[in-house]
Amino acid sequence: MMGTTAQAQFSLAVSPPRFELSTKPGERVREVIELTHRDTPSGGYKLKTADWTFRPDASVDFSDELVPGSCRPWVAIERRELSITSGRPYRFRFEVTPPADAPPTECRFAVLIEGQQPATAPGVPMALGARIGVIVYVAVGDVAPVLELVGTSVRTVDGRPTPMLKIRNTGTAHGRLAGFLSGTDAGGTALELQAGTTPIMPGETREIALAANKPGDTETTVAVRFPITIAGKLEWGKSGSLPINQRFAP
């Protein structure tokens, strides 16, 4: 949901921004979030768990109320209020303990970190209500995604026509596509295409964008001259793969 270092409207860096864990019913799994306060004086923070839903536009809605089937009763966090001084990261601990009779499931929740006070002067980036959500997935027992291609299209993304893959997840855990595809555009130019890493939830069908780059240069996206033919294989899960051989035209 976020980059490698999550930041909000306050001087706090959080790492990692996401956890993908696994455990068995009746077994505890523990992890640590590193919180680095980057301002003087020290910063006050409130911490809590929340349920969340992933919207079609890739935004996240957090819920303080327990949603049906929530696994948050299995979650314990070390404390709910915290003051952090600038410099050395604070190692904030949390743990998840599914009950012994828990069925196979993917436990999903967020740890929310919120600033306690508003900005006191121009240039001080602490803001009332600013928050960071660290997303946690815990595979409990034998759960896994099952991804399949159910359609293709061309849509405008950031002002550019972009090839899209429509992916359905019929499995019991979220999945992400990974890897590179080869493409040739209308001018005969060779391209390399990378699938977006947006998560696809169990039971969900979601469109995933393919970003085009020059071969060997994954940092710079290029405009695609349609039609474009794309072929190759994308990976998902521990051993799943998705062969792609498609022609895209706007």
Side-chain angles (χ1 to χ4, degrees):
M1 313 291 180
M2 297 183 184
T4 55
T5 300
Q7 290 181 282
Q9 297 168 316
F10 42 67
S11 296
L12 184 73
V14 178
S15 182
R18 181 180 73 235
F19 290 89
E20 301 199 9
L21 311 173
S22 62
T23 190
K24 297 177 182 179
E27 294 187 2
R28 181 178 290 115
V29 59
R30 295 185 175 98
E31 268 296 350
V32 170
I33 305 170
E34 288 199 348
L35 307 175
T36 305
H37 182 70
R38 292 179 170 175
D39 200 10
T40 303
S42 61
Y45 299 95
K46 293 183 178 180
L47 300 102
K48 61 184 178 181
T49 64
D51 286 300
W52 57 270
T53 54
F54 195 40
R55 297 172 59 86
D57 64 0
S59 63
V60 179
D61 282 340
F62 295 107
S63 171
D64 290 333
E65 301 296 324
L66 290 177
V67 302
S70 173
C71 66
R72 283 165 56 202
W74 307 348
V75 181
I77 60 176
E78 69 167 84
R79 57 195 305 175
R80 296 189 176 275
E81 293 192 2
L82 185 62
S83 179
I84 310 176
T85 57
S86 179
R88 186 176 180 179
Y90 183 92
R91 292 171 59 82
F92 182 84
R93 297 165 295 177
F94 70 91
E95 60 184 40
V96 184
T97 310
D101 60 352
T105 188
E106 182 175 68
C107 170
R108 297 189 293 269
F109 64 95
V111 177
L112 294 184
I113 305 121
E114 300 179 338
Q116 285 186 305
Q117 71 267 7
T120 57
V124 179
M126 177 73 73
L128 182 65
R131 65 183 181 181
I132 294 173
V134 177
I135 301 298
V136 183
Y137 302 86
V138 185
V140 180
D142 186 17
V143 294
V146 178
L147 304 187
E148 59 180 328
L149 178 67
V150 295
T152 62
S153 63
V154 176
R155 295 191 180 276
T156 300
V157 178
D158 296 330
R160 289 181 173 179
T162 302
M164 310 287 292
L165 302 177
K166 182 178 286 188
I167 305 297
R168 177 184 298 147
N169 184 356
T170 59
T172 51
H174 81 289
R176 302 172 194 270
L177 296 175
F180 295 90
L181 301 169
S182 299
T184 305
D185 72 5
T189 302
L191 298 171
E192 196 170 63
L193 295 103
Q194 184 175 13
T197 58
T198 302
I200 304 144
M201 299 299 153
E204 180 182 67
T205 298
R206 184 173 288 272
E207 288 192 315
I208 303 297
L210 296 175
N213 312 99
K214 294 181 180 179
D217 179 8
T218 60
E219 300 299 322
T220 307
T221 58
V222 298
V224 175
R225 291 181 291 174
F226 290 90
I228 180 173
T229 301
I230 298 173
K233 185 182 294 186
L234 295 171
E235 309 298 325
W236 53 265
K238 293 182 179 179
S239 58
S241 63
L242 189 68
I244 304 292
N245 191 348
Q246 298 287 330
R247 183 178 183 272
F248 294 81

